[in-house]
Amino acid sequence: MQDFAYLFRDSAVAWLQGRGDARFQRYEKYHRAELAMAPSLQPFDLERSNRRYAERCSHSQSRLVAVLDSKAFKQLSIVVVLLWGGSLLLPTVGKSQPMAAGAVLCALFVGLRVRNWRGRGKRR
């Protein structure tokens, strides 16, 4: 079994110097902001600040999760699924019942125009 303890010191020094890891820059920015907000009457408590930073990091979402959980992404995904399903369904229905498919499309477009027109009236 090999002993890799000598690598730990190198790794810790690299992390503290901020090489190749964005976590150090985030921590440093947080630490400096906490230090600036600390009142001059009380001494700055690094341990308490580190505990708050750990809580903040454990509760924060990653950017990918935040994007996937956003309302805009959910609406966009519904629109994409409906467009995809409609693009598969429309040719099939259009071949078997062209008049019904045309009537549904016309009603859909008129409904969208009316909705858009009513939306403009409410904004004014």
Side-chain angles (χ1 to χ4, degrees):
M1 184 172 193
Q2 292 181 340
D3 183 18
F4 292 108
Y6 70 95
L7 291 176
F8 176 76
R9 195 171 121 301
D10 252 1
S11 175
V13 169
W15 184 79
L16 287 173
Q17 290 175 350
R19 287 184 284 164
D21 196 350
R23 291 178 296 177
F24 181 77
Q25 282 85 11
R26 284 193 306 247
Y27 171 75
E28 185 68 22
K29 189 187 322 183
Y30 176 82
H31 176 70
R32 289 188 190 279
E34 285 283 311
L35 192 58
M37 286 179 15
S40 59
L41 301 175
Q42 295 176 343
F44 178 70
D45 189 3
L46 183 61
E47 274 187 48
R48 190 172 353 130
S49 175
N50 284 341
R51 273 188 255 121
R52 281 195 304 256
Y53 181 72
E55 287 174 12
R56 180 177 151 195
C57 288
S58 67
H59 294 308
S60 66
Q61 293 179 338
S62 70
R63 289 183 183 169
L64 179 63
V65 171
V67 167
L68 293 176
D69 196 33
S70 69
K71 185 177 178 181
F73 181 80
K74 290 176 184 176
Q75 290 178 347
L76 179 67
S77 61
I78 289 171
V79 167
V80 167
V81 167
L82 289 175
L83 284 174
W84 176 72
S87 70
L88 295 176
L89 185 64
L90 188 61
T92 307
V93 173
K95 286 180 185 175
S96 63
Q97 299 174 350
M99 293 296 286
V104 168
L105 283 176
C106 287
L108 181 69
F109 289 133
V110 168
L112 286 173
R113 293 300 294 169
V114 168
R115 181 177 167 208
N116 189 16
W117 179 69
R118 284 185 182 169
R120 285 186 189 170
K122 289 180 183 178
R123 282 185 242 154
R124 289 182 189 171

